[in-house]
Amino acid sequence: MAPRDPGRPESPPARAVRALRSMPNPRLTGLGSGLFCAAVMVLLGYLDDLLFGASLTVYGVLFVPVCLLTAVWVRRGDLLTAPIVVPIAFAVGLVTVAETGDGGVGGRLMGIVTALATEAGWLYGGTLVAGVTVLVRRIRLVRRRAAAARNRPPV
């Protein structure tokens, strides 16, 4: 990107690109992305329970951006783990917002199974977001490697 001229106002897209580049860009391993996603979903589940009375819809809406972040932040070598860990994290986080029924282990388990069945749309949607993001990143990576191989001088 060219240096900014202080005398000229900056366009909104250029400001947005500069803001995005200044944001943190962690690279998580496969295990790290799973732990990140699960921890964030448990935290969001507790916040959902505290603020919205354990609304499964709010939990599902919050799941989708977490899936996107997980797919964006996983490192290149572990790209294929993101669509695998996000549904697991969804189920782990459901422990905090699922109905408990009579309060025992069986009631909690039944609440989790019911929540998985009724919120399958959010689960599939978040997994699809992670899968498409990973697929786009993988295609870009393969094309970049192919271009580098074409531009490399013969040995």
Side-chain angles (χ1 to χ4, degrees), residues 83-95:
I84 296 167
V85 300
V86 293
I88 297 169
F90 184 85
V92 167
L94 273 180
V95 172

Side-chain angles (χ1 to χ4, degrees), residues 34-59:
L35 292 173
F36 162 77
C37 194
V40 170
M41 290 314 300
V42 167
L43 178 69
L44 290 176
Y46 279 125
L47 285 174
D48 178 22
D49 188 25
L50 181 69
L51 299 175
F52 301 105
S55 168
L56 291 175
T57 304
V58 171
Y59 179 79

Side-chain angles (χ1 to χ4, degrees), residues 37-38 40-41 44 56-70 82-83 85-91 119-130:
C37 194
V40 170
M41 290 314 300
L44 290 176
L56 291 175
T57 304
V58 171
Y59 179 79
V61 168
L62 294 173
F63 174 66
V64 176
V66 172
C67 291
L68 180 64
L69 282 178
T70 302
V85 300
V86 293
I88 297 169
F90 184 85
E119 301 303 312
W122 292 112
L123 177 61
Y124 294 153
T127 306
L128 181 67
V129 165

Side-chain angles (χ1 to χ4, degrees), residues 1 6 10 23 27 30 43 54-55 63 67-68 72 95-96 103 109-110 114 118 130 133 136 138 142 148-149 155:
M1 198 171 198
E10 195 173 29
M23 290 185 70
R27 288 294 166 213
L43 178 69
S55 168
F63 174 66
C67 291
L68 180 64
V72 169
V95 172
T96 60
L109 186 60
M110 186 57 82
T114 302
T118 58
T133 304
V136 168
R138 180 71 182 166
V142 167
V155 178

